[in-house]
Amino acid sequence: MALNQRQTELVELVHEKGFVTIDELVQVFNVTPQTIRRDLNLLADADVIIRHHGGAKSTSTTENSSYQSRKILNLYAKEQIANELVKMIPNGASLFINIGTTTETIARALLKHKGLNIVTNNIHVATILAAKEDFSVIIAAGEVRHRDGGIIGEATCDFMNQFQMDFGIIGISGISNDGSLLDFDFREVRVAQTIINNSTNVLLAADHSKFGRSAMIKQGNITQINHLFTDQNPPAKIQKMLLTNEISTHII
């Protein structure tokens, strides 16, 4: 299931405000209450928002949305970001790829490359890239998180610390206005920081919905990356931070 433009904007509004009434949504989108109710029911079934009588609220800051709902949210933007990001990756390069639906989209966009050497803690990424006979795909040791195929834990960090890669490709759950990179699982955060520390170039892929989105655990700061790939201009404070730290911003 793919979301239309109104449904995508509705989700972003709910996440931004925390709770939105049906009456508010009717005014914002200039549609009937029945249309809004259908949208809310569909989005609640996909675990993108939480349905309440008279409106909807955002999902918890302590637990991420379901894997299936994240796969469909902002899919077009993720595909455009992926197509732009992979232009930076030369044939024969070595790279880390971490957990997330955005990085899985990037993995599919890499299939036209040749001779890549990949280390990943994402079962889905490994499956996608293993289709290429000329790719070397190494999957990290550790605990498999059943809800999304992510591999996490101390063993994963220890395994990844053995490598120094040309590129580290990372996704993120949220980016606060002070530049903090936020996620929901401290074990996933530890692995992502290991990737940052062992990559010559760190490429962050984040669509516009990630800016201002809350999550409870700090993964690091946007100043630690080398390139940001996104689909809209970041907030002014983030733009200033990127400029001050000479971080290349790629807006597709």
Side-chain angles (χ1 to χ4, degrees):
M1 181 191 72
L3 303 186
N4 63 36
Q5 184 66 27
R6 182 186 65 252
Q7 291 162 348
T8 299
E9 292 177 3
L10 191 158
V11 171
E12 292 172 2
L13 184 61
V14 172
H15 284 170
E16 178 185 341
K17 299 188 74 171
F19 180 84
V20 183
T21 67
I22 289 175
D23 289 341
E24 288 178 274
L25 294 171
V26 166
Q27 291 183 0
V28 169
F29 296 105
N30 193 28
V31 294
T32 66
Q34 290 77 12
T35 297
I36 292 299
R37 289 191 185 96
R38 284 196 297 269
D39 284 346
L40 295 181
N41 289 336
L42 181 148
L43 295 168
D45 288 343
D47 292 328
V48 179
I49 53 102
I50 298 172
R51 183 76 162 90
H52 277 270
H53 180 70
K57 73 173 187 177
S58 62
T59 50
S60 171
T61 61
T62 62
E63 185 174 349
N64 206 353
S65 306
S66 74
Y67 174 72
Q68 292 302 324
S69 69
R70 285 183 284 124
K71 283 185 72 173
I72 62 175
L73 188 60
N74 294 322
L75 178 58
Y76 178 75
K78 291 174 183 176
E79 290 173 341
Q80 296 298 105
I81 289 168
N83 290 335
E84 185 65 24
L85 184 149
V86 299
K87 294 176 183 177
M88 279 203 66
I89 309 298
N91 291 330
S94 61
L95 49 149
F96 289 117
I97 303 179
N98 81 336
I99 302 170
T101 56
T102 301
T103 51
E104 290 168 24
T105 306
I106 292 168
R108 284 187 285 272
L110 285 168
L111 290 174
K112 294 179 181 178
H113 281 57
K114 297 179 180 179
L116 296 180
N117 299 278
I118 304 107
V119 175
T120 183
N121 65 321
N122 185 327
I123 284 178
H124 302 297
V125 165
T127 301
I128 292 164
L129 295 175
K132 285 293 296 292
E133 293 183 359
D134 62 321
F135 284 7
S136 170
V137 181
I138 300 172
I139 193 162
E143 176 188 347
V144 178
R145 194 167 59 189
H146 67 86
R147 68 175 183 265
D148 61 3
I151 302 173
I152 51 177
E154 289 299 323
T156 314
C157 294
D158 292 342
F159 183 87
M160 287 187 153
N161 268 321
Q162 299 177 84
F163 299 89
Q164 177 67 38
M165 309 299 269
D166 298 325
F167 299 93
I169 300 174
I170 61 173
I172 195 67
S173 293
I175 304 171
S176 69
N177 288 330
D178 66 357
S180 295
L181 304 179
L182 305 173
D183 231 308
F184 294 90
D185 188 328
F186 75 92
R187 298 166 300 173
E188 179 178 350
V189 164
R190 291 285 303 277
V191 177
Q193 192 60 237
T194 301
I195 289 174
I196 291 172
N197 293 339
N198 290 284
S199 300
T200 303
N201 294 282
V202 180
L203 315 183
L204 173 62
D207 68 72
H208 68 277
S209 68
K210 303 301 176 65
F211 292 99
R213 186 184 182 211
S214 295
M216 65 180 290
I217 302 170
K218 288 186 178 181
Q219 174 178 301
N221 195 277
I222 203 166
T223 58
Q224 294 178 277
I225 70 171
N226 302 105
H227 296 266
L228 169 67
F229 292 83
T230 188
D231 60 320
Q232 292 183 17
N233 283 318
K237 288 183 179 179
I238 299 296
Q239 289 188 49
K240 183 177 180 180
M241 202 174 301
L242 296 168
L243 185 63
T244 300
N245 290 275
E246 299 182 344
I247 297 164
S248 299
T249 305
H250 310 260
I251 301 172
I252 52 92

